[in-house]
Amino acid sequence: MTAKVVTMALFAFAVFFPMTGYAAEPDFEAILAEVDGQMSFVDTDFTAEMTLLTKDPDKGVEKIVVRQFRRDAENKFLMLTQEPRQRRGQGHLRDGDNLWFYDPESRKFSHTSLKETIEGSDARSSDFSSSTFADDYRVTDYERGTLGQYAVYIVDLEAVHNEVPDAFVKIWITEDTHLVLKMESYSLTKRLVRTALYPSFQRVGNSIIPNRMIFIDELIPGKETQITMTKASTAPLDDNVFTKAFVERVSR
Amino acid sequence: MAQYTTAIATQCPPWRGDRLCSHDHHIAQWVYRRSRGQYEAPFIVFVRGHLFIAGEELSETDREIAIIADGTVLEDIVGDVGLRVQSVQRRSEASATIIFGSRQAPESIDGVDFSVETGLLKGVPLLSGNVGDLADTENPIILTGLTAENLGVEVGERVVARLMTVTGQVNVGEFTVIGISDDSTSFGFTSAYADLQYLNSLIGLEPTQYQKLTIALTDVRDIERSAQMIYDAAVARGLNIERPLIDQNGGESGQTVMVGSSANEVWEGTKFGLTTLDEILDLVTNAFELVDLSALVIFVVLLLITMVGITNTFRMVLVERIQEVGTMRAFGMQRRTVRSIFLWEAAFIAMGGGVVGIGLAGVIMVIVSKISLAQFTAMHLFTMNGFLTFDVTVGSLVTNVAIVLAMSLLAAFLPANAGAKMEPAKALGGHF
């Protein structure tokens, strides 16, 4: 009898103990893969309009409206500037490893980098492409914490290669839904360079992506960029959208 | 141009070949001897050398990285071929955003071994600061005057530099400003100077690595010969070396010809690119010659338009004087003489107009040259000390007047010829 009770107690402990929160160490490989999967559009195209509001203590506030087209399965994206008028027609076109900047004034394409910022804002081209934490980073440390009302994992990541702009990042991932709420980017000298906040998300097709982003420049006090996403759609896009000819045509 | 030649003459006469003269003066020697033009002079002083060897390697992902990881063989070659070298300088460079408080400004930073390039420290004109504090200062930087002004920074203050490593990753460093250089005379060819090893650490290079080798020769007449000696010796030792600007200018065959490396090209080890001061300045000269050519084309088009007006005007003159022409022809004046009357009239009007135009242009040039353009950084290449200068010679004046004269005569020829061919009876009848 006693043995039976002990066995039952042990069994109950094994079943219910994980639910108390003292769980096994999280599988961050899987979590990061899930983060990437949620924020990518593997099976569909993606279109949206992005409004960037850049606040610069020297230059004031500048508004830029960009139309974004993505095809993550082929590593392609296009961003066309709609506003302000003097920048209308400028485009960033990515086709695999090549990223081009188009200037409608000179009608020329020039090579650029995912690591470059967009139009003087704190956002980079890489912020508008698919998430690749699982491929580009490895976890060096983590802790549990909270961000507002959300229970999060605070995860330290180190780049596994030098193709990404940030050598070190720290991300806040919700424990239940595995959404990235905050990201701190650090330089090679481990100085905080930028903080990204993702205060709200939107389901678009099978993905969940932030529809509001705030990038804070940690080197220049008072400088930040707020991005709002609207008119999101997963309708199929024509193949020629991701071509230079298309960019030149729509920029006229 | 005059201020450079004056400085050279008073400080270090180049024709004396004085080896005690500093590196800068030998560079200026080249300027004086070649006299290639005022816009090239500050560029020459800026580059501070005659031969430039840059290195590139491919990363693990086949990205091109500017680096000379191990320059030992290269430097041995420079030593072995028997060049008459004044100095050999290792340099790295980075494009950075300098941040001070809430302000930011772009700046190009050259990594310099200050213990070796003492001539640089003496030669950089400073608005403020003292390079004697170099040894006592952590991560010193000499900022350009324009950047310092934009940031509102002074000597002794700390600035932050945001830049990218050779592989494109974001990095941040801090510098202490020990000097602010005077870039008002440099036509926009300026950069900040920082310690080579510290800059290397920021851009992801090891302390002993660098990105380019700059060689200053003792005799500027040796430039091409020295470049060829280095090239041949490097090829003989199996180095991957090219002269990227040679074939663009229609140079000799047999050189490795690769006009610009593309991401599609794959190689192992370090690929070196050798350029000379002459080749670089040819590019600068070509750019300005293109501007000159464009201006000339516009000038010719304007002249052609004016010629149409002159032709019409002389046709009207002929119509008004048709009876006079008829009278002169009736009295026996030859056609040649009738034609020459109109042509001489056109010539005198053209020359008179040319003289008036020159006078007016002179007044305008004097007025425009008093206007300061120093705040327009895009104009630095075309201004000296922030002011436009005009290079007017007697030859150019005579040439321009001659062109105007020729165009006027050409424009007046058709109506003059028509008047000369007129029959006296018809002319007296007032018919044209």
Side-chain angles (χ1 to χ4, degrees):
Chain A
M1 183 70 171
T2 309
K4 206 175 186 180
V5 168
V6 168
T7 307
M8 291 282 287
L10 283 173
F11 177 75
F13 180 80
V15 169
F16 292 108
F17 178 72
M19 299 179 191
T20 65
Y22 289 90
E25 188 159 311
D27 180 359
F28 282 110
E29 267 192 42
I31 290 174
L32 290 179
E34 188 181 342
V35 166
D36 291 343
Q38 283 186 131
M39 292 174 62
S40 299
F41 295 89
V42 181
D43 301 320
T44 62
D45 293 334
F46 171 72
T47 311
E49 189 170 278
M50 304 289 193
T51 301
L52 289 77
L53 273 177
T54 301
K55 295 176 190 173
D56 189 312
D58 258 358
K59 299 173 189 170
V61 178
E62 187 179 9
K63 178 184 169 187
I64 301 167
V65 177
V66 171
R67 190 108 180 110
Q68 184 190 13
F69 307 88
R70 268 169 64 174
R71 181 172 286 174
D72 292 348
E74 295 177 16
N75 234 359
K76 293 179 179 177
F77 75 69
L78 168 64
M79 292 192 301
L80 282 174
T81 304
Q82 312 289 300
E83 291 178 32
R85 191 173 176 162
Q86 57 267 32
R87 291 190 188 174
R88 188 180 175 87
Q90 287 180 355
H92 289 79
L93 174 66
R94 180 183 183 182
D95 184 356
D97 289 337
N98 291 310
L99 181 63
W100 304 91
F101 171 72
Y102 178 70
D103 178 13
E105 293 281 332
S106 62
R107 296 189 190 173
K108 286 201 171 142
F109 286 90
S110 56
H111 245 214
T112 182
S113 162
L114 283 171
K115 300 154 190 169
E116 296 288 341
T117 57
I118 300 279
E119 317 274 6
S121 70
D122 300 294
R124 304 181 190 131
S125 300
S126 55
D127 294 322
F128 297 94
S129 62
S130 55
S131 171
T132 54
F133 285 116
D135 292 334
D136 297 335
Y137 291 92
R138 66 181 183 89
V139 176
T140 57
D141 196 8
Y142 85 99
E143 62 177 335
R144 283 188 159 91
T146 57
L147 187 66
Q149 60 186 344
Y150 300 100
V152 294
Y153 298 117
I154 304 170
V155 186
D156 290 316
L157 301 174
E158 181 180 352
V160 295
H161 57 74
N162 51 29
E163 295 295 313
V164 287
D166 304 311
F168 304 97
V169 297
K170 178 179 285 198
I171 54 176
W172 281 249
I173 310 175
T174 54
E175 287 191 21
D176 50 357
T177 53
H178 296 160
L179 295 172
V180 175
L181 300 184
K182 179 179 171 182
M183 182 168 85
E184 288 180 346
S185 303
Y186 293 83
S187 68
L188 267 178
T189 50
K190 297 203 176 173
R191 179 160 178 164
L192 179 60
V193 176
R194 189 182 80 158
T195 298
L197 302 172
Y198 306 98
S200 66
F201 288 77
Q202 176 181 343
R203 180 172 285 281
V204 181
N206 295 327
S207 304
I208 304 173
I209 55 173
N211 58 4
R212 198 160 156 253
M213 296 172 268
I214 302 170
F215 297 104
I216 300 168
D217 191 327
E218 297 289 351
L219 298 178
I220 302 175
K223 186 167 186 283
E224 67 175 43
T225 300
Q226 294 186 25
I227 301 177
T228 309
M229 182 187 74
T230 54
K231 301 179 187 175
S233 164
T234 54
L237 295 168
D238 208 85
D239 290 343
N240 71 0
V241 166
F242 303 102
T243 61
K244 288 181 180 178
F246 178 80
V247 176
E248 287 174 312
R249 195 171 74 242
V250 298
S251 297
R252 281 194 203 123
Chain B
M1 189 66 188
Q3 68 190 63
Y4 284 96
T5 54
T6 303
I8 297 158
T10 55
Q11 294 178 40
C12 182
W15 44 85
R16 205 175 73 191
D18 190 343
R19 288 181 179 275
L20 294 178
C21 285
S22 75
H23 162 73
D24 271 357
H25 296 148
H26 281 274
I27 300 296
Q29 177 188 24
W30 193 100
V31 174
Y32 184 86
R33 281 185 176 170
R34 300 293 179 91
S35 297
R36 289 178 69 139
Q38 68 174 29
Y39 47 76
E40 295 172 352
F43 181 80
I44 291 165
V45 177
F46 167 69
V47 297
R48 312 188 79 80
H50 304 108
L51 304 175
F52 313 96
I53 306 173
E56 273 187 338
E57 292 183 3
L58 288 180
S59 68
E60 291 171 1
T61 52
D62 288 344
R63 298 282 181 195
E64 294 174 10
I65 299 172
I67 184 173
I68 297 178
D70 184 3
T72 312
V73 176
L74 186 66
E75 292 174 28
D76 285 346
I77 288 172
V78 173
D80 290 346
V81 295
L83 299 182
R84 290 180 291 177
V85 169
Q86 174 148 25
S87 66
V88 177
Q89 300 145 10
R90 299 176 176 183
R91 292 277 185 100
S92 292
E93 56 192 10
S95 295
T97 300
I98 306 294
I99 299 166
F100 183 67
S102 63
R103 294 185 180 181
Q104 57 178 328
E107 183 78 288
S108 174
I109 303 178
D110 267 14
V112 172
D113 188 343
F114 287 124
S115 62
V116 170
E117 293 198 48
T118 51
L120 170 71
L121 294 176
K122 289 176 194 167
V124 172
L126 292 180
L127 291 171
S128 59
N130 182 4
V131 295
D133 298 333
L134 205 64
D136 302 326
T137 309
E138 184 188 8
N139 303 333
I141 190 167
I142 300 172
L143 281 183
T144 60
L146 185 64
T147 299
E149 186 183 348
N150 288 339
L151 297 176
V153 72
E154 293 178 357
V155 171
E157 295 185 299
R158 297 277 285 178
V159 296
V160 171
R162 173 165 41 202
L163 41 72
M164 286 200 177
T165 66
V166 292
T167 51
Q169 289 186 300
V170 176
N171 207 1
V172 176
E174 282 195 28
F175 294 90
T176 304
V177 179
I178 61 158
I180 295 170
S181 65
D182 181 3
D183 51 357
S184 62
T185 59
S186 59
F187 287 34
F189 297 116
T190 58
S191 64
Y193 298 104
D195 177 65
L196 175 64
Q197 287 202 0
Y198 182 57
L199 187 69
N200 276 355
S201 72
L202 292 180
I203 61 175
L205 298 184
E206 298 296 323
T208 55
Q209 296 173 338
Y210 51 98
Q211 293 180 316
K212 65 180 178 186
L213 204 63
T214 302
I215 301 166
L217 303 171
T218 54
D219 191 338
V220 296
R221 292 169 295 186
D222 284 345
I223 290 179
E224 181 52 37
R225 186 181 70 89
S226 302
Q228 196 60 42
M229 286 167 68
I230 292 175
Y231 179 85
D232 292 340
V235 169
R237 292 205 197 183
L239 293 188
N240 183 355
I241 189 166
E242 63 185 29
R243 295 190 67 177
L245 297 182
I246 276 283
D247 206 58
Q248 283 178 350
N249 294 333
E252 301 169 1
S253 62
Q255 308 280 6
T256 305
V257 173
M258 284 182 189
V259 181
S261 301
S262 68
N264 295 329
E265 185 195 344
V266 176
W267 69 88
E268 287 198 11
T270 307
K271 183 170 73 176
F272 298 100
L274 170 62
T275 51
T276 68
L277 184 61
D278 286 341
E279 290 163 11
I280 295 171
L281 282 177
D282 280 345
L283 293 177
V284 174
T285 305
N286 289 344
F288 279 94
E289 284 176 355
L290 194 61
V291 171
D292 280 345
L293 184 62
S294 304
L296 181 64
V297 167
I298 293 169
F299 175 61
V300 169
V301 167
L302 287 173
L303 278 181
L304 288 173
I305 293 168
T306 308
M307 277 173 65
V308 171
I310 293 172
T311 302
N312 281 336
T313 301
F314 270 89
R315 284 171 71 87
M316 296 306 299
V317 165
L318 184 62
V319 167
E320 287 174 7
R321 297 184 193 170
I322 194 168
Q323 290 191 330
E324 294 166 22
V325 171
T327 305
M328 287 189 290
R329 289 280 285 128
F331 274 110
M333 185 177 279
Q334 299 299 310
R335 288 177 179 174
R336 187 171 57 239
T337 310
V338 171
R339 189 183 304 121
S340 66
I341 287 173
F342 286 101
L343 292 179
W344 274 111
E345 183 177 347
F348 278 116
I349 292 173
M351 283 194 292
V355 169
V356 171
I358 287 168
L360 200 59
V363 170
I364 292 172
M365 280 191 282
V366 167
I367 293 171
V368 169
S369 65
K370 302 291 184 201
I371 301 171
S372 173
L373 300 171
Q375 68 268 35
F376 301 107
T377 48
M379 293 296 293
H380 280 186
L381 194 62
F382 304 101
T383 57
M384 187 175 284
N385 293 335
F387 295 92
L388 280 170
T389 58
F390 297 92
D391 184 23
V392 180
T393 61
V394 172
S396 66
L397 289 175
V398 169
T399 304
N400 287 331
V401 171
I403 291 172
V404 168
L405 179 63
M407 292 288 198
S408 296
L409 290 175
L410 199 62
F413 183 79
L414 283 177
N417 207 38
K421 285 182 181 174
M422 217 178 297
E423 293 298 329
K426 274 191 180 174
L428 283 169
H431 300 292
F432 178 62

